[in-house]
Amino acid sequence: MNKQIRIDTSSQVPVYKQIIEQISTLIQTRQYKAGELLPSMNELSDRLEISKETIKKAYSILRERNLIEATQGKGFFVTDNTVNHQPNILLLFDKISTYKQVLYDSFHQHIGEHAEITFRLHNQDIDVFEKFIDENLGSFDYYVITPHFPIDADIHKRVLKAIKRIPNRQLILLDKNLEDLPGNYGAIYQDFRHDIYEGLMQGLEMLKKYEKLDVATSPHSLYAPYIKEGVKHFCADNNIHVEYHTTISSEIIHPKVAYLILNSQLDTELIQLIQFAKEQKFKIGKDIGIISYNESPVNEIILDGLTTVSTDFVQMGELAAKMILEKSPRKIKCDFKLIKRNTF
């Protein structure tokens, strides 16, 4: 039963506003009671012979007004304001890696029992990403997204178009900000060009003990071009000789060289560098230096301590949780630092 929800096609009032007004009235007059299930978007769309997008818009605004709430896989219910509402969060990551696991664990720890989390991976596939947004729009209170995709103008336009469908107050971007996305959404992000500059500055005195800096850029690293710009600027400002490599071989391993590894997901380049250095009997941390990009717990063990430059993924997860719990979306550049250990 649709509780007498009707639309007037001759009215100048937009259809979605007619639906909002009628459902609001039905709730206020207790014809819809707290906790009662509303018609699904498909059901109401079929009965009223209007688009599902119109129903989505109406339900989204009703949720913003805290009149209804969504439960993943069950539907939309009239909000029971006599109990504390736990927000439903869609956590949409691009991939899982050791440092993304740190980010997730921090977010989960700090959000605690105060929210329900649904976790999905878009795998940097724009088609999959658009599908997730389309299928879940209006079903969650918050959408926490890592917007990492191949650097391509057309893909970027599609990412922006999809994300713009999410209300600003429900959106939090992690690890990367989209500077051309308007609105007062939340973001806790890295600044790849400037962060690497500041991170290397923290190790400047140590770097000057080496004859040059070699930078190994993985072909699978999305942001290597941006990071290389920051490295180039740093080396130019500090009179440090720098060379770039896309593959690791024994021929590039020399004493008195520091190596910055812009890791792939599986740290292949780092493993190869260590193997070749050991074959030539170089002592890592003395004959050569190694700095790896992105921190994870295992770095305390690798080579008795692997030096890293990294954003603070624990802080990132904590800040995202606080934004949701405090309902205070804002844009924050995450801390970035050099963590000096045995390899440098």
Side-chain angles (χ1 to χ4, degrees):
M1 184 176 179
N2 64 5
K3 297 282 188 182
Q4 305 302 315
I5 297 172
R6 304 226 193 298
I7 59 170
D8 181 359
T9 56
S10 64
S11 173
Q12 294 188 0
V13 177
V15 171
Y16 78 93
K17 288 188 176 180
Q18 294 183 45
I19 295 170
I20 291 170
E21 181 179 351
Q22 290 185 60
I23 292 179
S24 298
T25 299
L26 289 167
I27 292 173
Q28 291 166 3
T29 58
R30 297 185 181 276
Q31 293 181 67
Y32 271 132
K33 297 179 175 57
E36 185 172 347
L37 178 67
L38 273 69
S40 71
M41 289 189 287
N42 286 333
E43 179 186 353
L44 202 53
S45 173
D46 290 342
R47 288 185 180 180
L48 299 179
E49 297 182 344
I50 58 177
S51 73
K52 184 180 173 182
E53 290 300 315
T54 301
I55 308 298
K56 272 187 178 182
K57 185 172 184 179
Y59 276 15
S60 178
I61 292 173
L62 286 164
R63 290 184 70 203
E64 289 183 13
R65 296 178 181 176
N66 200 32
L67 291 174
I68 69 174
E69 57 190 22
T71 299
Q72 177 69 6
K74 295 182 179 179
F76 295 88
F77 297 82
V78 177
T79 301
D80 185 354
N81 289 312
T82 63
V83 298
N84 292 326
H85 169 65
Q86 283 193 337
N88 293 317
I89 301 169
L90 177 61
L91 206 60
L92 187 50
F93 276 20
D94 56 314
K95 291 183 178 181
I96 277 293
S97 60
T98 53
Y99 48 92
K100 291 284 178 57
Q101 185 68 52
V102 171
L103 170 56
Y104 173 83
D105 289 345
S106 176
F107 178 79
H108 188 270
Q109 175 189 345
H110 288 94
I111 205 76
E113 301 298 323
H114 303 293
E116 295 182 10
I117 300 173
T118 299
F119 184 77
R120 296 288 185 270
L121 296 175
H122 60 73
N123 203 36
Q124 299 176 3
D125 185 323
I126 184 59
D127 294 325
V128 173
F129 182 74
E130 289 173 331
K131 183 173 182 288
F132 275 136
I133 297 299
D134 181 61
E135 291 180 346
N136 293 287
L137 197 64
S139 298
F140 291 89
D141 298 296
Y142 290 95
Y143 299 79
V144 181
I145 297 170
T146 59
H148 296 309
F149 293 91
I151 301 172
D152 177 272
D154 289 337
I155 291 177
H156 183 68
K157 288 179 182 178
R158 291 172 66 182
V159 171
L160 285 178
K161 184 177 179 181
I163 289 181
K164 283 179 180 179
R165 299 175 66 194
I166 302 171
N168 280 335
R169 71 167 190 84
Q170 296 180 319
L171 176 63
I172 297 177
L173 300 181
L174 290 185
D175 209 21
K176 182 190 178 189
N177 191 23
L178 299 175
E179 295 180 356
D180 48 352
L181 178 68
N184 296 319
Y185 58 89
I188 308 104
Y189 60 94
Q190 300 188 58
D191 184 335
F192 296 97
R193 292 183 181 90
H194 295 94
D195 283 347
I196 189 63
Y197 186 104
E198 295 302 323
L200 291 175
M201 280 297 297
Q202 295 170 32
L204 178 59
E205 293 306 312
M206 288 296 299
L207 275 170
K208 287 187 173 180
K209 296 178 181 180
Y210 294 90
E211 293 181 353
K212 67 170 181 170
L213 174 66
D214 274 15
V215 181
T217 60
S218 164
H220 306 295
S221 175
L222 288 180
Y223 304 117
Y226 301 148
I227 298 170
K228 283 172 66 177
E229 287 181 27
V231 172
K232 182 179 180 181
H233 186 191
F234 165 80
C235 290
D237 285 351
N238 294 284
N239 196 30
I240 292 175
H241 179 52
V242 61
E243 290 187 18
Y244 302 94
H245 307 277
T246 56
T247 59
I248 300 294
S249 66
S250 60
E251 286 75 19
I252 72 167
I253 313 299
H254 302 287
K256 298 184 179 179
V257 176
Y259 296 87
L260 171 63
I261 309 297
L262 305 184
N263 310 55
S264 66
Q265 291 287 326
L266 298 176
D267 296 328
T268 305
E269 292 76 18
L270 176 62
I271 294 169
Q272 291 174 334
L273 176 62
I274 294 170
Q275 288 174 334
F276 287 129
K278 286 187 174 181
E279 286 175 6
Q280 298 184 50
K281 302 191 183 305
F282 290 140
K283 189 169 181 59
I284 297 171
K286 292 188 177 180
D287 299 322
I288 67 170
I290 298 179
I291 306 171
S292 183
Y293 198 92
N294 282 332
E295 173 67 353
S296 68
V298 73
N299 292 336
E300 295 185 9
I301 301 170
I302 295 174
L303 299 172
D304 294 325
L306 177 63
T307 295
T308 62
V309 282
S310 179
T311 196
D312 189 335
F313 291 104
V314 173
Q315 180 192 56
M316 190 178 290
E318 179 180 357
L319 289 173
K322 283 185 176 180
M323 282 189 189
I324 291 173
L325 295 175
E326 297 173 1
K327 298 181 179 179
S328 58
R330 54 200 186 278
K331 297 174 180 64
I332 303 172
K333 190 180 85 66
C334 207
D335 290 343
F336 192 95
K337 58 187 176 181
L338 181 139
I339 303 172
K340 187 182 180 310
R341 297 193 181 100
N342 191 51
T343 62
F344 177 71

